Amino acid sequence: MSTQQILGEHTYDDRGFLARLSLFDWVWAVALLLGSVYASYHFAPWMDRYEHGILYLTWASTVAIGWMWKPARLFTIIVAVVTLFAVMRYPDLAAAESDFFLNYLLSSQAAIMWMCALFLAAPVVYFAGLLGRAAFLERLGTAMMWLASGAGLVGLLVRWWESYLIAPEVGRIPVTNLYEVFVLFAFTTGLIYLYYEYRYQTRALGGFVGLIIAASIGFLLWYHFVQGAHEIDPLIPALQSWWMKIHVPTNFVAYGAFAIAAMIGVAYLIQARMPDAWQRRGLPSPEVMDDLMYKNIALGFAFFTIATILGALWAAEAWGGYWSWDPKETWSLITWLNYAAWLHLRFTKGWRGTPMAWWAVVGLFVVTFTFLGVNIFLSGLHSYGEL
């Protein structure tokens, strides 16, 4: 029997984690497992044992996230159904121009353009809701963030299928160039934000986080239309490794979390100058924003550490050494040390508030140079990512 303790406004369920899972939780997890098993057998000719391991690790991670964050279950179902519908409408690549649904909604380029439009509109709606104290507009901003994140994920999944339609030897996971990873950054950051929005029950920070996503969308659109980077090209030999499938996504969870922390830092600093005006509009208290900055930086630091280790292992396999002081590696170390120092001073010295908010904002510039600036201004073993 369930025992609940009511303390203040919060309800706590003292049952074990597994006991709190519903029938739908288990059915959803089993359905994902069956889909993973089917993919494992159906695509076996194109997968090695490491890629099978990555597939089942992805299943386990997705199930864990869905059990802890209930809205993620419906999100994964909708993305899977929409992606399968799109893939089934592809007799060949030319269908993207002749099929109504593919041409206007579900081809990789159509879905990514919808993602861009929604991510550009979301912060406008969020800020309108915040400044006008309009709950409907804030809920609309949340809906736009969900739709944009789903469109981005569908776009990359369909792009993966399209790469194989070009030719089997061209087929690869779409996280191999700046264009694709900017899409990855946008929807990953959106999903991480939505998780914290759900956990903290506040939409007031959506506009601030939406600004950094909109900035990445601006670059993505320039890269698409000016540089023609949306074309699917064969994968260069340096990236033909299963390591890429775990190293790159892990990195971008970290980048997204660091970006969210920076934008919460911006909101913190703005509220610090006019506390009464902004709290009346619904911004969280300084203590809540400080806690959110910490949790995002801690999340980003954990994933960045894992990504750096994975990158070192990949480098050892590809180049014969774990570390070569390549510019990307050097700036990754600088980024790691920056956030390690932030966390260290918080734990050991109890630093809070304005100094840490400024540090989080400055940290975003360090991350941006590591992510993009190195590719533009420096050359090295990672020079395949230049503009």
Side-chain angles (χ1 to χ4, degrees):
M1 181 178 294
S2 169
T3 301
Q4 294 185 335
Q5 301 170 336
I6 310 298
L7 299 176
E9 297 180 354
H10 300 281
T11 302
Y12 298 93
D13 193 333
D14 64 359
R15 293 177 299 168
F17 176 76
L18 293 179
R20 296 198 300 270
L21 297 176
S22 66
L23 176 62
F24 180 71
D25 286 318
W26 288 106
V27 171
W28 170 76
V30 171
L32 286 182
L33 178 60
L34 293 175
S36 300
V37 171
Y38 172 80
S40 181
Y41 281 95
H42 186 71
F43 298 106
W46 295 278
M47 300 172 67
D48 59 27
R49 66 180 184 277
Y50 300 109
E51 288 163 327
H52 285 284
I54 292 169
L55 173 63
Y56 289 107
L57 178 62
T58 302
W59 166 78
S61 301
T62 303
V63 168
I65 291 169
W67 281 354
M68 293 185 294
W69 180 29
K70 302 304 183 183
R73 301 171 306 173
L74 181 60
F75 177 80
T76 57
I77 292 170
I78 293 173
V79 167
V81 170
V82 171
T83 302
L84 287 172
F85 178 75
V87 166
M88 290 170 63
R89 302 190 72 84
Y90 262 117
D92 53 50
L93 201 58
E97 297 181 0
S98 59
D99 182 277
F100 174 84
F101 289 101
L102 294 178
N103 192 20
Y104 293 103
L105 295 170
L106 299 176
S107 70
S108 66
Q109 291 312 300
I112 289 170
M113 287 300 105
W114 278 109
M115 178 201 77
C116 292
L118 289 163
F119 270 138
L120 289 173
V124 176
V125 175
Y126 267 123
F127 275 125
L130 175 65
L131 297 175
R133 303 184 68 180
F136 168 76
L137 290 178
E138 291 187 326
R139 290 195 297 270
L140 181 60
T142 297
M144 287 181 166
M145 192 74 82
W146 275 112
L147 287 171
S149 299
L153 180 52
V154 168
L156 280 194
L157 291 173
V158 173
R159 184 179 174 89
W160 197 346
W161 181 255
E162 290 170 351
S163 70
Y164 278 93
L165 290 178
I166 294 172
E169 61 273 14
V170 175
R172 79 292 195 284
I173 187 172
V175 292
T176 62
N177 56 44
L178 280 178
Y179 178 82
E180 293 165 350
V181 298
F182 261 92
V183 178
L184 177 65
F185 171 81
F187 76 74
T188 299
T189 306
L191 289 174
I192 296 171
Y193 163 74
L194 287 167
Y195 168 76
Y196 285 111
E197 181 182 275
Y198 173 81
R199 288 295 302 272
Y200 282 76
Q201 293 297 294
T202 177
R203 296 184 171 93
L205 296 169
F208 294 95
V209 175
L211 286 177
I212 193 63
I213 301 176
S216 72
I217 294 301
F219 176 89
L220 180 67
L221 290 172
W222 170 82
Y223 206 32
H224 177 118
F225 291 107
V226 176
Q227 299 291 323
H230 61 286
E231 299 294 340
I232 300 175
D233 297 318
L235 195 61
I236 64 174
L239 297 178
Q240 293 175 2
S241 171
W242 61 271
W243 287 104
M244 180 180 59
K245 295 177 175 65
I246 51 177
H247 171 66
V248 175
T250 304
N251 245 326
F252 280 86
V253 172
Y255 289 158
F258 291 149
I260 292 171
M263 299 314 293
I264 294 172
V266 170
Y268 185 102
L269 294 169
I270 290 174
Q271 181 174 262
R273 295 182 66 86
M274 296 178 290
D276 294 335
W278 284 98
Q279 281 197 298
R280 282 199 303 270
R281 288 185 170 90
L283 272 186
S285 68
E287 293 76 20
V288 169
M289 286 195 283
D290 185 85
D291 187 55
L292 272 167
M293 276 191 292
Y294 157 67
K295 287 183 175 175
N296 276 282
I297 287 177
L299 174 68
F301 183 76
F303 273 86
F304 196 75
T305 300
I306 295 170
T308 302
I309 294 170
L310 293 172
L313 294 171
W314 185 5
E317 180 181 287
W319 300 319
Y322 292 100
W323 197 266
S324 59
W325 294 104
D326 174 77
K328 180 73 81 171
E329 294 172 350
T330 302
W331 274 93
S332 293
L333 178 60
I334 292 170
T335 300
W336 188 89
L337 291 172
N338 173 67
Y339 288 108
W342 194 100
L343 292 169
H344 175 74
L345 289 173
R346 181 182 174 92
F347 283 128
T348 62
K349 302 296 183 182
W351 283 22
R352 299 286 193 280
T354 300
M356 303 304 270
W358 275 112
W359 196 338
V361 173
V362 173
L364 179 60
F365 291 95
V366 177
V367 169
T368 301
F369 191 83
T370 302
F371 169 28
L372 187 60
V374 170
N375 299 81
I376 298 174
F377 301 110
L378 303 175
S379 62
L381 294 171
H382 292 80
S383 59
Y384 47 77
E386 79 274 5
L387 297 180

